[in-house]
Amino acid sequence: MSDVQRESMEYDVVIVGAGPAGLSAAIRLKEVDPNLEVVVLEKGSEVGAHILSGAVLDPIGLDALFPDWKERGAPVRTEVSEDNFYLLGEGGRIRLPNWPMPPMLDNHGNYIVSMGNVCRWLAEQAEGLGVEIFPGMACSDIVWGENGEIRGVIAGEFGLRSDGTPGPNHEPGMELLGKYVFLAEGVRGSLSKQVIARHDLDRGREPQKYGLGMKEIWEIDPERHNLGEVSHTLGWPLGSNAGGGGFIYHAEGNQLYLGFVVHLNYANPYVYPYMEFQRFKHHPMLKELLEGGKRIAYGGRAINEGGYQSMPKMVAPGVALLGCSVGMVNVPRIKGNHNAMLSGIAAAEVAAEAIAAGRAQDELGDYEERVRTGPIGRDLNRVRNVKPLWSKYGLAGGLGLGGFDMWTNALGFSFFGTVGHGKSDAEATEPARKHKPIDYPKPDGRISFDRLTNVSYSMTNHEESQPAHLKLKDPELPVAVNLPEYAGPSARYCPAGVYEFVKDEAGNDRFVINFQNCVHCKTCDIKDPRQNIVWTTPQGGDGPNYPGM
């Protein structure tokens, strides 16, 4: 469709993604120079629609953006009052003492928040400064310059038929052009992948690692609620099958933010992350909390876990990668929003300086320098070995060695140097013949739920007549290779039931993609053992519609 004629609009900075990184960048750009023309493009139906509530926020990024955020009425009110770490067995638990934990793991001074609501509030602040924000505007492609520089993006294309041809109500979208483009798409963004590949930004870096995080929001019995309590768990039910753990945050309104993370470098293709989450809720500690309550929302998303050594180069001509487009999650703290905000602020300040100097569409090298040597780099560098040590030595060895390494890094050195990750998560998947199937208990419909019922609580929706946004490089490979060799892992690793293998009338296996169920977690793009599935951006406004809570 290269011959399509599109209208264009020009800005100083075009920002893709209205998450904490993109909105922080937009705000700081206008704070530095109110005359800058800044636009933020968000694929969700509204700001926050693709961000499920439930996080513990380190306010360092908010402090840097708005020192008076409390007076401004930011929805950041529930300070952590109790901080617990548990090692779970099937029927019991051991509370790990806080005193031997590295100080960076202390959550006191942090806040339990709905990041969806925080982003809605940030959007209000940005619009008050004159930033243009366009929700429901998915960015489907990059506008490249003659020399490989990024000149802008294409956004707002609607009305394609399922075969990709324009339908009767086709809208070709617009070119949004800028002196600089910021990609703040979140984990495994489709435009960021293009930029990283074209400019070889990950050359010489460790492979990025990921976890699949699944969340439910519950309203629980007020007698069981303890506002401000934060708990993290390790151990059961995963055992030796995979790394990961759970989190339980007591938020406002008798709500419980309940989640479970499964590291995607597991070897056994029979691992079923969603069912591990559902089994987790039947632990006596969780069951006691949830009895008599009701689940009101569900969602899932991939989480960057590679850390400092997996961050690609963050700039190319005309573009900067922000937040989770780079991978700025501090794994042991299970926090990345603060670094996302700091990255947006740093990129904005560097871009504003460049524009003031008359520059455009060149590399913002000072942004990369600020990230790697500033508070983001310091935060990630001192925990860089925790994830690879856990992967290499398991839960017990990883906990001991990782904790020791965090303590020595607090003193400015590490006995381990920098430990590599080795394989990608896709490469870590082993053939099914090396493993035994795992028998998961059937959901009871009260505390645990089947996958499709839970997906209905994500309020996800996709226009069915559009092309499927989940593409197969080789349509034959799922049945020809993944099913016989890996037991069809896509039917299990997807937390939304998008993929299934069914028998046709002749008894032959057929691969089905129910893209309407997709909650945009991008696990399939990460974990498919042959890297055959490519997640692309659907029409704007499609996907989950998480409530503001």
Side-chain angles (χ1 to χ4, degrees):
M1 298 179 62
S2 58
D3 58 340
V4 171
Q5 297 299 310
R6 295 184 171 91
E7 296 182 10
S8 64
M9 297 178 65
E10 295 195 11
Y11 293 87
D12 290 302
V13 180
V14 175
I15 301 173
V16 180
L23 291 169
S24 297
I27 290 167
R28 181 49 58 93
L29 282 163
K30 296 295 279 189
E31 287 177 336
V32 173
D33 184 352
N35 294 316
L36 289 173
E37 297 291 331
V38 181
V39 64
V40 179
L41 305 168
E42 166 57 37
K43 65 182 174 68
S45 59
E46 63 170 346
V47 174
H50 288 179
I51 302 175
L52 182 61
S53 303
V56 173
L57 178 67
D58 180 337
I60 183 174
L62 204 53
D63 290 338
L65 197 64
F66 294 120
D68 61 343
W69 55 266
K70 289 184 179 179
E71 291 74 18
R72 287 173 175 259
V76 180
R77 295 176 288 268
T78 303
E79 189 166 356
V80 174
S81 60
E82 186 176 331
D83 197 8
N84 304 312
F85 298 88
Y86 293 104
L87 181 63
L88 301 186
E90 186 170 359
R93 64 185 182 183
I94 298 173
R95 187 179 186 278
L96 303 176
N98 291 64
W99 62 264
M101 302 281 182
M104 70 185 77
L105 299 187
D106 184 3
N107 275 307
H108 291 93
N110 298 327
Y111 292 80
I112 300 171
V113 300
S114 159
M115 279 310 298
N117 284 344
V118 171
C119 287
R120 290 179 178 96
W121 179 81
L122 288 172
E124 292 174 3
Q125 309 307 304
E127 288 179 323
L129 294 170
V131 175
E132 294 183 38
I133 300 178
F134 297 148
M137 291 284 280
C139 297
S140 55
D141 211 346
I142 292 172
V143 180
W144 298 96
E146 294 182 359
N147 299 311
E149 75 275 15
I150 286 79
R151 298 186 56 241
V153 297
I154 296 171
E157 184 165 15
F158 294 92
L160 293 177
R161 296 188 180 95
S162 59
D163 62 0
T165 61
N169 299 314
H170 178 243
E171 299 176 25
M174 298 184 64
E175 292 184 345
L176 285 299
L177 307 177
K179 295 182 176 71
Y180 296 100
V181 173
F182 290 172
L183 296 181
E185 301 172 284
V187 176
R188 198 82 166 185
S190 53
L191 301 187
S192 301
K193 281 181 63 180
Q194 288 187 50
V195 172
I196 291 170
R198 179 155 180 172
H199 288 279
D200 202 17
L201 300 185
D202 55 357
R203 179 166 53 88
R205 312 295 163 89
E206 286 293 310
Q208 185 59 264
K209 306 294 285 184
Y210 301 90
L212 170 59
M214 297 156 285
K215 292 181 188 176
E216 292 175 359
I217 303 176
W218 283 68
E219 288 181 356
I220 65 170
D221 183 340
E223 294 296 319
R224 296 183 170 103
H225 189 261
N226 183 23
L227 183 66
E229 179 183 341
V230 165
S231 297
H232 292 97
T233 74
L234 297 168
W236 191 86
L238 289 172
S240 60
N241 285 323
F247 57 88
I248 308 149
Y249 304 153
H250 291 250
E252 300 168 34
N254 296 317
Q255 288 190 353
L256 199 69
Y257 298 156
L258 176 64
F260 198 72
V261 177
V262 177
H263 300 171
L264 290 177
N265 63 346
Y266 59 82
N268 184 350
Y270 291 111
V271 168
Y272 195 159
Y274 175 82
M275 290 307 297
E276 296 286 357
F277 177 29
Q278 298 308 301
R279 185 161 59 166
F280 166 68
K281 291 185 293 176
H282 283 274
H283 188 276
M285 182 176 77
L286 275 296
K287 190 174 182 180
E288 181 181 357
L289 275 175
L290 300 178
E291 285 286 2
K294 63 176 182 179
R295 157 218 47 180
I296 56 178
Y298 165 76
R301 61 162 291 179
I303 303 167
N304 296 108
E305 293 187 340
Y308 190 83
Q309 57 267 55
S310 295
M311 294 194 301
K313 183 180 177 183
M314 302 167 207
V315 293
V319 69
L321 307 181
L322 276 53
C324 285
S325 292
V326 174
M328 298 182 178
V329 171
N330 183 315
V331 172
R333 298 185 73 197
I334 321 179
K335 291 178 182 63
N337 289 309
H338 63 299
N339 284 336
M341 296 180 73
L342 292 173
S343 74
I345 292 168
E349 291 172 349
V350 171
E353 293 171 5
I355 293 169
R359 293 162 49 197
Q361 294 165 3
D362 59 350
E363 283 198 4
L364 296 171
D366 286 349
Y367 163 62
E368 173 121 10
E369 179 68 15
R370 290 194 192 189
V371 168
R372 292 196 177 272
T373 62
I376 299 172
R378 291 192 295 272
D379 184 52
L380 297 179
N381 191 44
R382 60 186 178 173
V383 301
R384 66 189 182 277
N385 292 327
V386 173
K387 165 67 174 177
L389 287 172
W390 189 345
S391 299
K392 187 170 292 189
Y393 296 108
L395 177 59
L399 273 179
L401 294 174
F404 174 73
D405 192 61
M406 281 189 280
W407 272 110
T408 62
N409 267 292
L411 301 175
F413 69 96
S414 170
F415 288 104
F416 299 101
T418 297
V419 183
H421 294 297
K423 297 178 180 178
S424 71
D425 293 333
E427 293 168 334
T429 312
E430 293 180 349
R433 66 178 182 274
K434 294 185 176 183
H435 300 275
K436 294 180 179 180
I438 301 171
D439 184 23
Y440 290 98
K442 185 178 179 180
D444 67 359
R446 294 184 305 109
I447 289 177
S448 53
F449 309 97
D450 69 84
R451 193 165 44 174
L452 293 184
T453 297
N454 236 359
V455 168
S456 70
Y457 282 77
S458 71
M459 303 299 178
T460 195
N461 180 66
H462 295 81
E463 173 56 54
E464 294 189 18
S465 62
Q466 69 179 300
H469 63 282
L470 301 159
K471 314 289 187 183
L472 297 178
K473 297 177 183 177
D474 179 354
E476 306 300 321
L477 195 145
V479 170
V481 177
N482 281 2
L483 184 58
E485 188 168 344
Y486 300 101
S490 56
R492 290 178 294 277
Y493 60 57
C494 173
V498 169
Y499 305 101
E500 59 179 333
F501 292 88
V502 301
K503 298 286 187 181
D504 62 19
E505 294 180 356
N508 299 313
D509 291 300
R510 185 166 61 89
F511 188 56
V512 177
I513 301 177
N514 304 299
F515 74 87
Q516 300 90 343
N517 294 354
C518 182
V519 294
H520 297 195
C521 74
K522 304 175 188 171
T523 301
C524 55
D525 196 292
I526 297 163
K527 186 59 176 172
D528 185 79
R530 294 299 181 92
Q531 290 291 271
N532 189 48
I533 301 174
V534 180
W535 192 96
T536 62
T537 307
Q539 287 184 168
D542 285 0
N545 286 277
Y546 298 130
M549 295 181 178

Short mmCIF file of all heavy atoms in Angstrom, two decimals, residues 171-209:
data_model
loop_
_atom_site.label_atom_id
_atom_site.label_comp_id
_atom_site.label_asym_id
_atom_site.label_seq_id
_atom_site.Cartn_x
_atom_site.Cartn_y
_atom_site.Cartn_z
N GLU A 171 -9.92 4.29 6.07
CA GLU A 171 -9.25 5.56 6.38
C GLU A 171 -7.76 5.26 6.40
O GLU A 171 -7.29 4.45 7.21
CB GLU A 171 -9.70 6.10 7.73
CG GLU A 171 -11.19 6.40 7.81
CD GLU A 171 -11.61 6.85 9.19
OE1 GLU A 171 -10.75 7.38 9.93
OE2 GLU A 171 -12.79 6.67 9.54
N PRO A 172 -6.98 5.88 5.53
CA PRO A 172 -5.57 5.50 5.37
C PRO A 172 -4.66 5.91 6.52
O PRO A 172 -3.51 5.48 6.58
CB PRO A 172 -5.17 6.20 4.08
CG PRO A 172 -6.07 7.39 4.00
CD PRO A 172 -7.38 6.95 4.59
N GLY A 173 -5.16 6.73 7.44
CA GLY A 173 -4.30 7.20 8.51
C GLY A 173 -3.50 8.42 8.09
O GLY A 173 -3.53 8.86 6.93
N MET A 174 -2.78 8.96 9.04
CA MET A 174 -2.00 10.18 8.81
C MET A 174 -0.53 9.93 9.11
O MET A 174 -0.18 9.03 9.87
CB MET A 174 -2.51 11.30 9.71
CG MET A 174 -3.95 11.72 9.47
SD MET A 174 -4.39 13.12 10.51
CE MET A 174 -3.30 14.39 9.88
N GLU A 175 0.29 10.75 8.49
CA GLU A 175 1.71 10.79 8.85
C GLU A 175 1.90 11.88 9.90
O GLU A 175 1.58 13.05 9.66
CB GLU A 175 2.57 11.11 7.63
CG GLU A 175 2.61 10.00 6.60
CD GLU A 175 3.56 10.30 5.45
OE1 GLU A 175 3.97 11.48 5.31
OE2 GLU A 175 3.89 9.36 4.70
N LEU A 176 2.36 11.48 11.05
CA LEU A 176 2.71 12.42 12.11
C LEU A 176 4.22 12.55 12.10
O LEU A 176 4.94 11.61 12.45
CB LEU A 176 2.23 11.91 13.47
CG LEU A 176 0.74 11.98 13.83
CD1 LEU A 176 0.24 13.41 13.82
CD2 LEU A 176 -0.09 11.10 12.96
N LEU A 177 4.72 13.69 11.68
CA LEU A 177 6.15 13.89 11.48
C LEU A 177 6.72 14.77 12.59
O LEU A 177 6.04 15.69 13.08
CB LEU A 177 6.39 14.55 10.12
CG LEU A 177 5.76 13.85 8.91
CD1 LEU A 177 6.01 14.66 7.64
CD2 LEU A 177 6.29 12.43 8.77
N GLY A 178 7.95 14.49 12.96
CA GLY A 178 8.56 15.28 14.01
C GLY A 178 10.05 15.44 13.82
O GLY A 178 10.69 14.68 13.10
N LYS A 179 10.60 16.43 14.50
CA LYS A 179 12.05 16.56 14.53
C LYS A 179 12.66 15.35 15.23
O LYS A 179 13.74 14.89 14.87
CB LYS A 179 12.44 17.86 15.24
CG LYS A 179 12.01 19.14 14.51
CD LYS A 179 12.47 20.38 15.25
CE LYS A 179 12.14 21.65 14.48
NZ LYS A 179 10.69 21.95 14.48
N TYR A 180 11.90 14.83 16.25
CA TYR A 180 12.30 13.60 16.93
C TYR A 180 11.05 12.78 17.24
O TYR A 180 9.97 13.34 17.47
CB TYR A 180 13.06 13.90 18.23
CG TYR A 180 14.38 14.61 17.99
CD1 TYR A 180 14.48 15.99 18.16
CD2 TYR A 180 15.49 13.90 17.55
CE1 TYR A 180 15.67 16.65 17.91
CE2 TYR A 180 16.69 14.55 17.29
CZ TYR A 180 16.78 15.93 17.47
OH TYR A 180 17.96 16.57 17.21
N VAL A 181 11.22 11.48 17.24
CA VAL A 181 10.15 10.55 17.61
C VAL A 181 10.59 9.80 18.86
O VAL A 181 11.72 9.28 18.91
CB VAL A 181 9.85 9.56 16.47
CG1 VAL A 181 8.85 8.49 16.93
CG2 VAL A 181 9.32 10.29 15.25
N PHE A 182 9.72 9.75 19.86
CA PHE A 182 9.97 8.96 21.07
C PHE A 182 9.07 7.72 21.01
O PHE A 182 7.85 7.84 20.88
CB PHE A 182 9.63 9.75 22.33
CG PHE A 182 10.55 10.90 22.64
CD1 PHE A 182 10.24 11.79 23.66
CD2 PHE A 182 11.73 11.11 21.93
CE1 PHE A 182 11.07 12.84 23.97
CE2 PHE A 182 12.57 12.17 22.23
CZ PHE A 182 12.24 13.04 23.25
N LEU A 183 9.66 6.56 21.13
CA LEU A 183 8.89 5.32 21.18
C LEU A 183 8.79 4.85 22.62
O LEU A 183 9.77 4.43 23.23
CB LEU A 183 9.55 4.25 20.31
CG LEU A 183 9.61 4.55 18.81
CD1 LEU A 183 10.26 3.40 18.05
CD2 LEU A 183 8.22 4.84 18.24
N ALA A 184 7.58 5.00 23.16
CA ALA A 184 7.28 4.60 24.53
C ALA A 184 6.14 3.59 24.50
O ALA A 184 5.14 3.72 25.20
CB ALA A 184 6.91 5.82 25.37
N GLU A 185 6.31 2.55 23.67
CA GLU A 185 5.25 1.59 23.41
C GLU A 185 5.06 0.56 24.51
O GLU A 185 4.09 -0.19 24.49
CB GLU A 185 5.55 0.83 22.12
CG GLU A 185 5.70 1.67 20.88
CD GLU A 185 6.17 0.83 19.72
OE1 GLU A 185 7.36 0.49 19.67
OE2 GLU A 185 5.33 0.50 18.87
N GLY A 186 5.99 0.46 25.42
CA GLY A 186 5.95 -0.63 26.38
C GLY A 186 6.74 -1.81 25.87
O GLY A 186 7.51 -1.72 24.91
N VAL A 187 6.54 -2.95 26.53
CA VAL A 187 7.32 -4.16 26.25
C VAL A 187 7.11 -4.63 24.81
O VAL A 187 5.99 -4.71 24.33
CB VAL A 187 6.91 -5.28 27.22
CG1 VAL A 187 7.64 -6.57 26.89
CG2 VAL A 187 7.20 -4.87 28.65
N ARG A 188 8.22 -4.93 24.14
CA ARG A 188 8.19 -5.58 22.82
C ARG A 188 7.33 -4.81 21.83
O ARG A 188 6.56 -5.37 21.05
CB ARG A 188 7.67 -7.00 23.01
CG ARG A 188 7.96 -7.98 21.89
CD ARG A 188 9.33 -8.57 21.95
NE ARG A 188 9.45 -9.72 21.06
CZ ARG A 188 10.50 -10.51 20.96
NH1 ARG A 188 11.57 -10.28 21.70
NH2 ARG A 188 10.52 -11.52 20.13
N GLY A 189 7.45 -3.50 21.82
CA GLY A 189 6.68 -2.68 20.90
C GLY A 189 7.01 -2.99 19.45
O GLY A 189 8.18 -3.21 19.10
N SER A 190 6.00 -2.98 18.59
CA SER A 190 6.20 -3.38 17.20
C SER A 190 7.08 -2.38 16.44
O SER A 190 7.88 -2.78 15.60
CB SER A 190 4.86 -3.57 16.50
OG SER A 190 4.04 -2.43 16.64
N LEU A 191 6.92 -1.09 16.72
CA LEU A 191 7.78 -0.11 16.05
C LEU A 191 9.19 -0.16 16.61
O LEU A 191 10.18 -0.03 15.87
CB LEU A 191 7.20 1.30 16.19
CG LEU A 191 5.80 1.54 15.63
CD1 LEU A 191 5.45 3.03 15.70
CD2 LEU A 191 5.66 1.04 14.20
N SER A 192 9.30 -0.34 17.90
CA SER A 192 10.63 -0.44 18.52
C SER A 192 11.40 -1.63 17.96
O SER A 192 12.61 -1.55 17.72
CB SER A 192 10.49 -0.58 20.04
OG SER A 192 9.82 0.52 20.59
N LYS A 193 10.71 -2.75 17.74
CA LYS A 193 11.36 -3.92 17.15
C LYS A 193 11.94 -3.58 15.77
O LYS A 193 13.05 -4.00 15.43
CB LYS A 193 10.38 -5.07 17.03
CG LYS A 193 10.11 -5.84 18.31
CD LYS A 193 9.12 -6.98 18.07
CE LYS A 193 9.68 -8.01 17.11
NZ LYS A 193 8.71 -9.12 16.89
N GLN A 194 11.17 -2.83 14.98
CA GLN A 194 11.65 -2.44 13.65
C GLN A 194 12.92 -1.60 13.75
O GLN A 194 13.88 -1.83 13.02
CB GLN A 194 10.58 -1.64 12.91
CG GLN A 194 9.38 -2.42 12.44
CD GLN A 194 8.47 -1.55 11.58
OE1 GLN A 194 8.92 -0.88 10.65
NE2 GLN A 194 7.19 -1.55 11.91
N VAL A 195 12.90 -0.62 14.64
CA VAL A 195 14.04 0.28 14.79
C VAL A 195 15.26 -0.48 15.29
O VAL A 195 16.39 -0.31 14.78
CB VAL A 195 13.69 1.44 15.74
CG1 VAL A 195 14.94 2.27 16.06
CG2 VAL A 195 12.62 2.32 15.12
N ILE A 196 15.07 -1.34 16.29
CA ILE A 196 16.19 -2.11 16.84
C ILE A 196 16.80 -3.00 15.76
O ILE A 196 18.03 -3.09 15.63
CB ILE A 196 15.72 -2.95 18.03
CG1 ILE A 196 15.38 -2.03 19.22
CG2 ILE A 196 16.79 -3.96 18.45
CD1 ILE A 196 14.68 -2.73 20.37
N ALA A 197 15.94 -3.63 14.96
CA ALA A 197 16.45 -4.52 13.91
C ALA A 197 17.15 -3.74 12.80
O ALA A 197 18.26 -4.12 12.37
CB ALA A 197 15.30 -5.33 13.33
N ARG A 198 16.54 -2.66 12.35
CA ARG A 198 17.11 -1.93 11.21
C ARG A 198 18.44 -1.29 11.57
O ARG A 198 19.37 -1.26 10.75
CB ARG A 198 16.14 -0.87 10.71
CG ARG A 198 16.67 -0.05 9.54
CD ARG A 198 15.58 0.51 8.71
NE ARG A 198 16.07 1.30 7.59
CZ ARG A 198 15.31 1.78 6.62
NH1 ARG A 198 14.00 1.55 6.64
NH2 ARG A 198 15.81 2.49 5.64
N HIS A 199 18.55 -0.79 12.78
CA HIS A 199 19.79 -0.10 13.19
C HIS A 199 20.69 -0.98 14.06
O HIS A 199 21.69 -0.48 14.59
CB HIS A 199 19.44 1.21 13.91
CG HIS A 199 18.93 2.28 13.00
ND1 HIS A 199 19.76 3.07 12.24
CD2 HIS A 199 17.66 2.65 12.69
CE1 HIS A 199 19.03 3.92 11.53
NE2 HIS A 199 17.76 3.68 11.78
N ASP A 200 20.33 -2.26 14.19
CA ASP A 200 21.18 -3.22 14.91
C ASP A 200 21.51 -2.72 16.32
O ASP A 200 22.65 -2.81 16.78
CB ASP A 200 22.46 -3.45 14.10
CG ASP A 200 23.14 -4.78 14.44
OD1 ASP A 200 22.47 -5.64 15.03
OD2 ASP A 200 24.33 -4.93 14.11
N LEU A 201 20.49 -2.22 17.00
CA LEU A 201 20.72 -1.58 18.29
C LEU A 201 21.03 -2.57 19.41
O LEU A 201 21.54 -2.16 20.46
CB LEU A 201 19.48 -0.74 18.68
CG LEU A 201 19.09 0.39 17.72
CD1 LEU A 201 17.94 1.19 18.30
CD2 LEU A 201 20.28 1.30 17.43
N ASP A 202 20.72 -3.86 19.20
CA ASP A 202 21.01 -4.83 20.25
C ASP A 202 22.32 -5.59 20.01
O ASP A 202 22.60 -6.57 20.70
CB ASP A 202 19.85 -5.81 20.41
CG ASP A 202 19.48 -6.52 19.11
OD1 ASP A 202 20.10 -6.21 18.06
OD2 ASP A 202 18.58 -7.37 19.14
N ARG A 203 23.10 -5.15 19.05
CA ARG A 203 24.37 -5.81 18.77
C ARG A 203 25.30 -5.71 19.98
O ARG A 203 25.51 -4.64 20.55
CB ARG A 203 25.04 -5.18 17.54
CG ARG A 203 26.39 -5.79 17.18
CD ARG A 203 26.81 -5.37 15.79
NE ARG A 203 26.77 -3.92 15.62
CZ ARG A 203 27.78 -3.11 15.90
NH1 ARG A 203 28.92 -3.59 16.35
NH2 ARG A 203 27.67 -1.80 15.70
N GLY A 204 25.86 -6.85 20.38
CA GLY A 204 26.78 -6.86 21.51
C GLY A 204 26.11 -6.86 22.86
O GLY A 204 26.80 -6.83 23.90
N ARG A 205 24.78 -6.91 22.90
CA ARG A 205 24.06 -6.91 24.17
C ARG A 205 23.53 -8.31 24.47
O ARG A 205 23.34 -9.13 23.57
CB ARG A 205 22.90 -5.91 24.14
CG ARG A 205 23.28 -4.53 23.61
CD ARG A 205 24.28 -3.81 24.52
NE ARG A 205 24.94 -2.70 23.85
CZ ARG A 205 24.48 -1.45 23.81
NH1 ARG A 205 23.33 -1.17 24.39
NH2 ARG A 205 25.16 -0.51 23.19
N GLU A 206 23.28 -8.58 25.71
CA GLU A 206 22.66 -9.84 26.09
C GLU A 206 21.22 -9.88 25.57
O GLU A 206 20.59 -8.83 25.41
CB GLU A 206 22.65 -9.98 27.62
CG GLU A 206 24.00 -10.31 28.22
CD GLU A 206 24.48 -11.70 27.82
OE1 GLU A 206 23.71 -12.67 27.97
OE2 GLU A 206 25.64 -11.82 27.36
N PRO A 207 20.68 -11.07 25.31
CA PRO A 207 19.29 -11.13 24.87
C PRO A 207 18.36 -10.59 25.95
O PRO A 207 18.62 -10.75 27.14
CB PRO A 207 19.05 -12.62 24.62
CG PRO A 207 20.09 -13.33 25.41
CD PRO A 207 21.28 -12.42 25.41
N GLN A 208 17.30 -9.94 25.50
CA GLN A 208 16.31 -9.47 26.47
C GLN A 208 15.58 -10.68 27.06
O GLN A 208 15.33 -11.67 26.37
CB GLN A 208 15.30 -8.53 25.80
CG GLN A 208 14.30 -7.88 26.74
CD GLN A 208 14.95 -7.06 27.83
OE1 GLN A 208 15.15 -7.54 28.95
NE2 GLN A 208 15.32 -5.83 27.50
N LYS A 209 15.27 -10.62 28.33
CA LYS A 209 14.54 -11.68 29.02
C LYS A 209 13.20 -11.12 29.48
O LYS A 209 13.05 -9.92 29.70
CB LYS A 209 15.33 -12.20 30.22
CG LYS A 209 16.74 -12.65 29.88
CD LYS A 209 16.77 -13.86 28.97
CE LYS A 209 16.43 -15.12 29.73
NZ LYS A 209 16.55 -16.33 28.87
#
